Amino acid sequence: MNFKAAFCHPYQRDIIELGEISQTNIITAFENIPWKDYLQQMEETKNEGQDIYYSPSFEIINTNTLHKLAISAVGPADNYEFYVFYRRPKTLKFLFGLITYKKDKYTTDIQGQTKTRVIRLLEAFRNNNTSYLADQIGP
């Protein structure tokens, strides 16, 4: 499997493309982001008129399947949590299965996640355990 990573810096309008990332380095890259520092900096500059474009966010895309996991840190620096978004292609059914269509960027999310919980989701993502991700983040 091939993966690409990106980072959304709070003070930069454009998403920072980090390029290809190995399957084994995904979790290390996530853990090395100074989440608390970014959130603290955002708190300190909130009233100074500086533009904040994003919550600090880390994104991983599986370039083979086009599944994507996006993780954003939110809340106060001393008690933050993560929002996790899972995007993937999905066939949706309506009217008892009589109508179906494929949505290329179907997205579900989960809030209130700890760092430990996010690491479990990243492990599932890098191992292509889509059933676990769907169970945990939404069908």
Side-chain angles (χ1 to χ4, degrees):
M1 286 180 278
N2 298 311
F3 298 93
K4 285 189 177 181
F7 182 72
C8 298
H9 190 286
Y11 298 106
Q12 294 183 20
R13 183 182 314 234
D14 297 326
I15 296 171
I16 302 166
E17 298 294 335
L18 302 174
E20 291 187 19
I21 186 169
S22 72
Q23 193 171 357
T24 56
N25 287 335
I26 291 172
I27 293 170
T28 302
F30 168 77
E31 290 181 315
N32 286 338
I33 296 170
W35 300 104
K36 185 176 182 175
D37 294 345
Y38 283 119
L39 293 169
Q40 182 67 43
Q41 187 179 23
M42 289 169 62
E43 287 176 23
E44 292 170 359
T45 62
K46 189 185 316 184
N47 296 324
E48 294 177 9
Q50 188 170 1
D51 290 335
I52 297 174
Y53 297 100
Y54 306 99
S55 286
S57 303
F58 180 64
E59 300 177 352
I60 296 290
I61 187 166
N62 180 324
T63 56
N64 300 104
T65 64
L66 300 181
H67 290 215
K68 177 179 176 180
L69 210 60
I71 300 134
S72 294
V74 296
D78 60 349
N79 189 29
Y80 64 95
E81 64 185 28
F82 294 97
Y83 288 9
V84 181
F85 302 86
Y86 178 39
R87 187 186 82 192
R88 69 272 190 199
K90 183 171 181 166
T91 301
L92 301 172
K93 298 179 181 183
F94 296 96
L95 293 173
F96 308 105
L98 296 173
I99 299 173
T100 62
Y101 76 94
K102 186 174 181 179
K103 187 170 182 180
D104 290 332
K105 295 181 180 181
Y106 182 78
T107 304
T108 52
D109 65 89
I110 189 168
Q111 301 174 2
Q113 301 303 294
T114 64
K115 193 172 192 177
T116 301
R117 182 90 171 95
V118 170
I119 290 170
R120 277 191 236 132
L121 295 170
L122 283 167
E123 287 171 347
F125 186 77
R126 75 177 183 185
N127 294 324
N128 202 31
N129 189 346
T130 57
S131 60
Y132 178 81
L133 292 169
D135 286 345
Q136 300 300 309
I137 303 173

